Amino acid sequence: MSIAARNTAGLGTIIGTELYRARRGSLVWLMSLTPLVIALPMVVSTALGADWPEYRGMTLTGWGSLLPAFIALLVGIAVTQDREAWLFLLAAPVARNGLVLAKMASLAVITAVPSLILGLALWIGGINSGVPVPADALAGAAAMWVALLGIAGLMLLLTLAAAMATTIAVGVVGALAGMLTADKAFWFLNPFGWPLRAMLPFGQVRANGVALPPGSPLADLGPAFAAMLLSVVLAAAATALSCMVLRRKEI
């Protein structure tokens, strides 16, 4: 098969196909139910008059702490569901790099869905507490989505190179490590803590959910934006390595 023939399908077509296939199976339920389970106590409690800043912080830290394990499972499912069609995908008229780029692009969209659901739940919680537009909470959810892209890239690379079980194990260990390092001075060394670190100044909490004292350096927005930038760079690097791994796979 010639190179021209292998590139007859455009990247947009491949991404659209990836997103269409993500609509079925356990992936949809995982994306929809996980943020709802995290946010439901906050929505109910604020409707009953509970303290909004406290439950806002608890919800954001709960989501940020779970993200590495959640992303590992989500990426593992998204890649593993291709196994039955693996021979077809690798022999299809599509560049192998295109398959990886489409998978990463679809993961960016897929991971935005639970972040949007979480944001909607936070908005409802804010309204329950008399805060019509909880901008800080919504900004925290958005910051965590950008900061998780690097983890998604790593999990994609690991799933392609190893297996889903390995990816999930690394995600679980990474979630624990992320909680321990997110509010430390060396947070930048551990990408699994980047989503939490990006959220802290918006949620006004430490990584354990405790409110920040006045004048805390964790309220500085600089490290939050640095975590998001590092995540984008890591996502690009991991995607490039994933392309190399897939090119070496034999049909």
Side-chain angles (χ1 to χ4, degrees):
M1 183 180 294
S2 67
I3 295 177
R6 287 186 59 82
N7 285 278
T8 54
L11 184 60
T13 301
I14 311 171
I15 294 174
T17 302
E18 289 286 346
L19 293 174
Y20 178 80
R21 290 167 53 241
R23 295 167 53 192
R24 69 177 193 274
S26 57
L27 201 58
V28 174
W29 294 106
L30 181 66
M31 291 187 297
S32 304
L33 294 181
T34 305
L36 288 178
V37 170
I38 294 292
L40 185 59
M42 177 270 301
V43 173
V44 174
S45 298
T46 51
L48 296 175
D51 182 59
W52 161 245
E54 178 183 356
Y55 277 87
R56 173 199 63 194
M58 289 173 56
T59 302
L60 288 171
T61 52
W63 179 244
S65 300
L66 181 67
L67 269 179
F70 172 75
I71 295 303
L73 181 58
L74 188 149
V75 173
I77 292 174
V79 174
T80 304
Q81 71 181 6
D82 292 338
R83 296 300 186 188
E84 293 182 1
W86 199 247
L87 292 179
F88 171 77
L89 287 170
L90 295 183
V94 178
R96 295 194 180 193
N97 286 354
L99 291 174
V100 175
L101 293 173
K103 179 65 73 175
M104 188 61 206
S106 67
L107 286 174
V109 175
I110 289 170
T111 53
V113 173
S115 297
L116 288 172
I117 294 174
L118 182 74
L120 178 60
L122 288 165
W123 186 26
I124 294 172
I127 292 174
N128 289 342
S129 303
V131 184
V133 183
D136 49 1
L138 297 178
M144 285 192 286
W145 171 68
V146 177
L148 68 78
L149 296 177
I151 301 175
L154 279 179
M155 296 299 100
L156 175 60
L157 173 62
L158 191 57
T159 306
L160 288 174
M164 180 176 176
T166 304
T167 301
I168 294 175
V170 171
V172 171
V173 174
L176 297 174
M179 288 186 284
L180 295 174
T181 63
D183 55 4
K184 302 297 188 296
F186 51 88
W187 62 267
F188 53 89
L189 298 176
N190 180 15
F192 295 102
W194 293 350
L196 264 180
R197 186 62 189 87
M199 176 278 297
L200 297 184
F202 300 105
Q204 290 294 303
V205 290
R206 297 183 64 88
N208 59 4
V210 176
L212 294 179
S216 171
L218 292 176
D220 184 6
L221 290 175
F225 288 110
M228 288 185 269
L229 179 60
L230 285 171
S231 175
V232 173
V233 172
L234 178 60
T239 302
L241 289 174
S242 295
C243 289
M244 295 175 59
V245 169
L246 192 60
R247 285 201 301 268
R248 291 176 177 273
K249 279 189 175 291
E250 297 183 359
I251 301 178

